[in-house]
Amino acid sequence: MASGVAAVWVPVTDMQRAVAFYRDTLGLTVTDESDDWSEIDANGLMIGLNGREPASSSSGGGAVITFQPDGSIEDELASIRERGADVQGEISEHPWGKIVPFKDSEGNDLQFYAPPQG
């Protein structure tokens, strides 16, 4: 049985570009940085950027990191678009909340999620 999450990491091919994306586009804090491994603090969850593995540019499934926006999902979408993020669609609304998919600089799938209002 699993007792928790030990690590979340994503493959990257260009560490400097990936660190810049998570730091400058998403506004997260870089806590450790090297050529083959960097760590990003996402509100207490460490995201590892692994430069030793090839990044996947296919959209054939796999893990998706879902972020909580600081402000409204609409404002955060506009902000990452202005910063050059590869947004994969528009905000979709569901009974369980709103999501909008985008990709990081290495082609990994990410999204913003906002719970339903009320």
Side-chain angles (χ1 to χ4, degrees):
M1 291 242 164
S3 62
V5 176
V8 173
W9 63 268
V10 293
V12 303
T13 55
D14 184 325
M15 185 62 72
Q16 289 181 339
R17 178 179 65 199
V19 166
F21 177 86
Y22 284 87
R23 180 190 61 226
D24 302 337
T25 303
L26 295 181
L28 300 173
T29 302
V30 178
T31 59
D32 188 22
E33 184 176 353
S34 72
D35 290 339
D36 62 354
W37 180 262
S38 295
E39 294 180 0
I40 309 297
D41 181 359
N43 194 29
L45 173 69
M46 187 276 294
I47 298 172
L49 305 179
N50 188 347
R52 294 173 288 192
E53 300 291 333
S56 172
S57 61
S58 71
S59 59
V64 175
I65 300 174
T66 302
F67 294 96
Q68 297 171 318
D70 281 336
S72 74
I73 195 169
E74 293 82 5
D75 290 345
E76 294 304 326
L77 174 58
S79 179
I80 65 169
R81 271 195 172 131
E82 288 174 8
R83 294 182 182 130
D86 182 9
V87 178
Q88 298 291 297
E90 297 301 318
I91 297 168
S92 60
E93 294 191 47
H94 309 274
W96 40 264
K98 297 179 184 179
I99 60 168
V100 63
F102 59 99
K103 292 193 179 282
D104 72 6
S105 61
E106 309 304 295
N108 295 300
D109 292 320
L110 308 174
Q111 63 183 209
F112 278 131
Y113 164 75
Q117 299 294 325

